Amino acid sequence: MAIRNLRYQGDEILKKKSREVPEEEISSEKIQSLIDDMIETMHKYNGVGLAAVQVGILKRVIVIDLYDDKGPIVLINPVILKTKGEQEVEEGCLSFPNEFAKIIRPAEVTAEYTDRYGKRMKVKAKELLAQAISHEVDHLNGEVFIDKIIPGTLEYVEPEN
């Protein structure tokens, strides 16, 4: 496992659409190693989610950890099937360090994805998990949260040394 270099605001790759991972590649050492590295990188920077594009890989791979007793979840080729309601949330992004803003996200999302073992799964997510899935799927589509914020809510927080 290794910490990958994050891509930051202004990096053109963040605006590119990620490609699907072919089914036969999911169990490959390359993809499994990417997943492990992404989880380690997300944890190092205390992130809740990370998309492969944020470490410079244009593949539809997401890792999310709500830091509950369930551990990290891996979503490969995720598709949001439906959304319900909306919630106003405070959001940040590892690619936009120390920047936070309010954004409207779905209150619930139903998503389908392949797990790291190649099994097709479905999840009905609420609150933080719904927010994280929406945020990370946006990354896979070349969209960043800063483009969706409620005007006037962007704040920069000085990092603690």
Side-chain angles (χ1 to χ4, degrees):
M1 293 202 301
I3 303 292
R4 301 263 181 139
N5 290 327
L6 289 174
R7 300 300 185 94
Y8 296 105
Q9 181 175 7
D11 191 317
E12 283 302 304
I13 200 165
L14 294 174
K15 295 288 191 174
K16 291 186 162 70
K17 203 169 159 78
S18 296
R19 294 182 295 278
E20 288 223 344
V21 178
E23 217 172 287
E24 63 277 4
E25 271 184 40
I26 292 171
S27 61
S28 72
E29 194 178 314
K30 193 173 179 184
I31 294 296
Q32 293 298 315
S33 163
L34 170 65
I35 292 166
D36 291 337
D37 291 354
M38 285 174 63
I39 291 169
E40 192 175 349
T41 303
M42 173 181 65
H43 286 157
K44 178 181 179 7
Y45 295 105
N46 301 313
V48 170
L50 187 67
V53 64
Q54 291 178 273
V55 293
I57 309 291
L58 284 170
K59 297 259 187 213
R60 296 186 78 80
V61 178
I62 292 170
V63 296
I64 294 173
D65 195 340
L66 301 182
Y67 300 92
D68 53 13
D69 56 359
K70 296 177 183 136
I73 54 174
V74 176
L75 298 87
I76 301 168
N77 301 330
V79 178
I80 294 176
L81 303 173
K82 65 180 183 194
T83 63
K84 184 176 162 189
E86 56 180 42
Q87 57 179 339
E88 182 180 300
V89 292
E90 178 89 352
E91 197 157 292
C93 177
L94 293 178
S95 292
F96 295 77
N98 310 309
E99 292 185 32
F100 300 90
K102 290 192 177 359
I103 187 166
I104 303 294
R105 290 282 186 201
E108 288 181 26
V109 300
T110 302
E112 196 174 56
Y113 64 96
T114 302
D115 72 8
R116 71 179 304 167
Y117 308 106
K119 188 172 177 214
R120 204 68 188 150
M121 310 282 280
K122 203 177 208 175
V123 62
K124 189 172 184 176
K126 295 179 178 180
E127 298 163 347
L128 182 57
L129 184 56
Q131 178 186 354
I133 290 171
S134 300
H135 177 108
E136 301 309 332
V137 167
D138 278 356
H139 271 301
L140 300 182
N141 295 327
E143 299 169 13
V144 290
F145 93 105
I146 217 95
D147 296 336
K148 297 182 166 202
I149 64 171
I150 297 170
T153 64
L154 184 64
E155 291 178 45
Y156 179 81
V157 178
E158 277 300 321
E160 295 172 17
N161 287 342

